[in-house]
Amino acid sequence: MSLLPSFPAAMFATAVALLPRFSPIGGPEPLGPEPLQGAYEFIGVMETFERTDRGVELRCAPGVGVRIRFLSPAAFRVTVDRPGREEALLEHALVEREPEPVAFDLVEEAERLLLRTGAIDVAIDRAPCRIAVFDRDGAVISEDDPGMGIGWDGNEVRNWKSIADNERFYGLGEKTGDLDRRGREWVMWNSDTPGYGNETDPLYASVPFFIGVREGRAYGIYFNNAHRTTFNMGAGNHRYYSFAAEGGPLDYFFLYGPDVPAVVEAYTELTGRPPMPPRWALGYQQSRWSYTPAAEVLRIARTFREKEIPADVIYLDIHYMDDYRVFTWHAERFPDPEALLEELEAIGFKAVVIIDPGVKEEPGYRIADEGLDGDHFVRYPDGEVYVGSVWPGRSYFPDFSRPETRAWWGGHLAELADQGVDGIWNDMNEPAVWGKAFPLEVVMDDGGRSSGMKKMHNLYGSLMSQAAWEAARRHRPGERPFVLTRAAFAGIQRYAAVWTGDNVASWEHLELGIRMMLGMGLSGLPFVGTDVGGFIGTPSPELFARWIQVGAFSPLFRAHTVHGSSPQEPWAFGEIVEDVSREAIELRYRMLPTLYTLFREAHRTGHPILRPLFWHHPDDSLAYDRRWQHQFFFGETLLVAPVTREGARLQEVYLPEGEWLDLGAETIHAGGRTVVVEAPLERIPMFLKAGGILVLGEPVQHTGELEDRAAADRVLTVEAFPISGDGVFILYEDDGVSFDHEEGEYRLTRFEVARSGGSIRFVREVEHDGHDIASRHLDLRLHAVETAPREVVIDDRVVTADDAEGYDYDPDLDLLTVRFREAGALQVITIR
Ligand code: MIG
């Protein structure tokens, strides 16, 4: 114990008293700074500390620096500097921003330091150096494992934290399995995993962020390290959870809630929030590998219009290219891309094309030549340009960490945009190569650091997507970009939507896909979707019908299938499923005003669009239960319980506490229990919470029609369930295209419904009027109105059932519909 003489006597006494606490379980040797052979070294006794403007800097045995810096009263960053290692902290995922100053008290106790902000106490034990977080009532939120805390073994760094009996874990991005990540070890290493299963890990995207929920208190940990990381969430042990990286520094952010939404807000404040998407990207999207040639693309698009199945987007997969050369068109299959894209546009279709990073190694091919000349490709450490094999054959890989390379790539993307391409679909950007082993020794520029793929691998897909985003922003500053990516790292939400890769046309995948979307939503990625119908294989008609019903609520609503599979368009499964699909897609289009408002919420707060039941019912233990993880909230008040089992025509649904309106059956259920509802093939069990308000638009064929349609014909439908108490919904609207909303060019309309005694009051109030919208017809549908009204008053006018602005009452459905036109900033409807 060479360092004992160097620290003060009082601390020595304390340290000795505490020595047994950091013995290995059952082992005789106290853990010191001397490493055991082939094992971890652990951080030891605190030698010095120094207060800084944002926290403290500690020196702990053996010569380790630990910096604790507050970002807010409830959030701090911990950075560990190991002796002899100067490691750059990862910047890529973090939004640049100067945090507000944070006031805190530093209390020096004999055995520990206490940093008190008023929101939390951060306690740092001196001997050994261990970090614990307490809430204002003194309850433990999180604490380092007392024995191990922080340690390392060669390049690997790890933090062990105690696990509480009832602690649950959520997040970690794109993962299968239970929404609760406890009991498994999870890896972050972007991987091309076609046909993955419920146990497969890792997948395509890495989000080293999780939420812990302990005794109703929620906190988040974002491990800011892009190397291969491992999260042992109590796997194979009953003592701790740990997070570790194979290289790079131990650098994490601790974000106290106290609830899950607050943690997600804090995490997305750190790593960014999604921009508003173009409205067309929220419509139905049709894809396959591949629609080819051009005539087939047009045939598919036109069939949607003929069959009056709404759709906004068609995708071109790899066959549009000339022998998979990026930024080319196949001369026979797509002889005149401009003409094709123009024809698509004329019938209201946007086109999204796939882009793979691999650039064919071929002298004379313009992209290869430019790339070599401009030093745009990644290299081996000895300077040789790396060549790997993928779709184009032997290929180079752009170094998207270089701004010059992103700009160069972006210039070619801009050419595609000029030809009429509307969106970019980034694939194979894990990066994937045949043989599945992109060499780790290959280096990328990384801001002059020359970092190897051990660090850069998980960032590659995000950097490629950043290139696409930046290009679109530069080239079309007045339009919101649409970028879809497969590989991703934390922070991708600023640049792209993410889909869950090559899933399988199976019932199991329908359900695990819902869980994946929910988990991603909790990880700062609200704009997500699965390949509707399943990518690998061909769904049965019934499976396709049930999947498209889930798709109707998926933030990204895209059907896609593998090369050579049977047709997978909504009309490919017979008339019944065609009708079911049309209905599901129409429902999607009718829900656009609500969905768009939810995207605005995601943009401002990071909140997911699809939410697990516990998001809104944290105190309900069944809201966490695996049995109900295929159910979700679409926004705050609509609970969706999609059918995910073959042959099911009755659906058991868990309804949390409260009163619920079954929107298909017009029946009311008391919650806090399960109910069984009828679920014929065409029905999606949906329940509106008491006080819930849903704003619906018209069933258009594509979102472009919303602009074309004569204002006089526009109708908004407000569904409200005013069974008791109050409900509020604030509708967000803007031009759906530009960034003018950042300048205040949007409209917020507050809809409020209140019921007391025998009367209902409904208020429509424009709260922010920055965007012109011609006045529309409003159909206010009030559910659960048991008796015919004696009087309906619109502002000061008493109206009758016969008036154009009047009402209808349906005694069988207990449904009162009040019709009026939007007018002015404030309208009040009173029903007695
Ligand atoms: O090696 O572009 O996940 O959506 O259709 C397969 C062909 C490459 C994988 C993507 C999938 C896409 C397919 N791609």
Side-chain angles (χ1 to χ4, degrees), residues 661-669 677-678 683 686 812-813:
L661 173 72
D662 180 331
L663 281 170
E666 288 290 325
T667 49
I668 297 169
H669 300 283
V677 299
E678 287 187 27
R683 183 174 296 173
M686 283 185 278
D812 295 334
L813 297 179

Side-chain angles (χ1 to χ4, degrees), residues 93 119 256 389 392 411 437 439 542 603 638 693:
Y256 180 49
S389 279
E542 185 188 2
H603 171 58
L638 187 67
I693 295 175

Side-chain angles (χ1 to χ4, degrees), residues 357-497:
V359 174
K360 191 175 182 65
E361 178 201 47
E362 183 182 55
Y365 164 41
R366 144 183 101 117
I367 307 301
D369 290 348
E370 284 176 19
L372 290 172
D373 289 349
D375 195 17
H376 293 310
F377 298 134
V378 298
R379 294 173 179 275
Y380 287 104
D382 61 6
E384 183 178 315
V385 175
Y386 165 69
V387 176
S389 279
V390 70
W391 286 110
R394 291 169 57 105
S395 304
Y396 306 120
F397 288 80
D399 181 349
F400 293 111
S401 75
R402 294 175 76 231
E404 303 81 0
T405 301
R406 293 201 298 271
W408 165 68
W409 191 259
H412 289 293
L413 293 173
E415 287 167 17
L416 284 175
D418 286 341
Q419 291 180 311
V421 167
D422 300 284
I424 296 300
W425 170 25
N426 285 334
D427 188 25
M428 304 294 278
N429 51 353
E430 290 69 29
V433 285
W434 302 154
K436 301 211 167 201
F438 201 101
L440 294 175
E441 66 278 5
V442 163
V443 289
M444 290 174 71
D445 180 63
D446 190 23
R449 291 184 201 99
S450 284
S451 302
M453 291 309 283
K454 284 186 177 179
K455 172 182 174 188
M456 302 308 290
H457 174 89
N458 283 340
L459 298 174
Y460 196 86
S462 276
L463 290 165
M464 182 182 179
S465 300
Q466 185 181 345
W469 166 264
E470 288 170 350
R473 288 299 286 125
R474 220 178 14 251
H475 190 60
R476 296 267 162 87
E479 286 175 31
R480 301 176 197 164
F482 175 71
V483 182
L484 177 63
T485 184
R486 192 170 73 175
F489 188 70
I492 187 65
Q493 62 269 19
R494 306 202 297 275
Y495 305 118

Side-chain angles (χ1 to χ4, degrees), residues 212-279:
V213 184
R214 204 191 246 222
E215 302 287 354
R217 291 176 201 85
Y219 64 90
I221 288 181
Y222 166 56
F223 185 18
N224 187 39
N225 188 312
H227 289 71
R228 178 191 281 264
T229 53
T230 305
F231 292 76
N232 178 323
M233 308 318 273
N237 84 86
H238 303 284
R239 170 175 170 176
Y240 65 77
Y241 67 86
S242 72
F243 46 94
E246 286 194 352
L250 186 72
D251 176 30
Y252 74 88
F253 292 79
F254 186 93
L255 314 163
Y256 180 49
D259 53 22
V260 170
V263 175
V264 173
E265 284 162 30
Y267 171 69
T268 54
E269 191 174 336
L270 203 61
T271 58
R273 293 178 177 143
M276 282 305 288
R279 184 165 39 212

Side-chain angles (χ1 to χ4, degrees), residues 192 204 288-289 317-318 354 356 391 425 427-428 434 486 499 501-502 531 535 558 560-563:
D192 179 8
Y204 309 90
R288 87 161 289 123
W289 176 12
D317 205 327
I318 49 179
I354 199 165
D356 288 2
W391 286 110
W425 170 25
D427 188 25
M428 304 294 278
W434 302 154
R486 192 170 73 175
W499 96 101
D502 298 345
D531 283 353
F535 178 73
R558 188 185 78 139
H560 183 53
T561 182
V562 69
H563 185 53

Side-chain angles (χ1 to χ4, degrees), residues 239-389:
R239 170 175 170 176
Y240 65 77
Y241 67 86
S242 72
F243 46 94
E246 286 194 352
L250 186 72
D251 176 30
Y252 74 88
F253 292 79
F254 186 93
L255 314 163
Y256 180 49
D259 53 22
V260 170
V263 175
V264 173
E265 284 162 30
Y267 171 69
T268 54
E269 191 174 336
L270 203 61
T271 58
R273 293 178 177 143
M276 282 305 288
R279 184 165 39 212
W280 59 259
L282 306 189
Y284 177 69
Q285 313 195 3
Q286 183 68 45
S287 184
R288 87 161 289 123
W289 176 12
S290 303
Y291 290 127
T292 180
E296 172 69 357
V297 178
L298 278 172
R299 186 185 71 83
I300 296 290
R302 288 193 184 122
T303 307
F304 276 95
R305 298 297 178 248
E306 275 154 28
K307 292 183 172 289
E308 299 193 10
I309 299 173
D312 265 80
V313 190
I314 193 154
Y315 278 66
L316 301 185
D317 205 327
I318 49 179
H319 287 90
Y320 79 89
M321 291 176 278
D322 173 17
D323 207 11
Y324 309 125
R325 290 177 189 85
V326 66
F327 305 123
T328 64
W329 293 88
H330 193 281
E332 284 97 61
R333 298 180 193 135
F334 293 85
D336 190 350
E338 277 101 339
L340 167 68
L341 297 165
E342 215 169 282
E343 277 183 77
L344 287 173
E345 195 190 332
I347 57 170
F349 268 89
K350 304 286 182 188
V352 176
V353 299
I354 199 165
I355 299 284
D356 288 2
V359 174
K360 191 175 182 65
E361 178 201 47
E362 183 182 55
Y365 164 41
R366 144 183 101 117
I367 307 301
D369 290 348
E370 284 176 19
L372 290 172
D373 289 349
D375 195 17
H376 293 310
F377 298 134
V378 298
R379 294 173 179 275
Y380 287 104
D382 61 6
E384 183 178 315
V385 175
Y386 165 69
V387 176
S389 279

Side-chain angles (χ1 to χ4, degrees), residues 70 90 105 144 161 206 212 269 352 366 375 418 444 468 473 513 571 585 613 648 699 791 828:
F70 286 106
L90 186 69
D105 292 331
D144 281 345
K161 291 189 187 284
S206 294
E269 191 174 336
V352 176
R366 144 183 101 117
D375 195 17
D418 286 341
M444 290 174 71
R473 288 299 286 125
W571 55 82
I585 298 174
L613 300 188
E791 187 178 68
V828 180

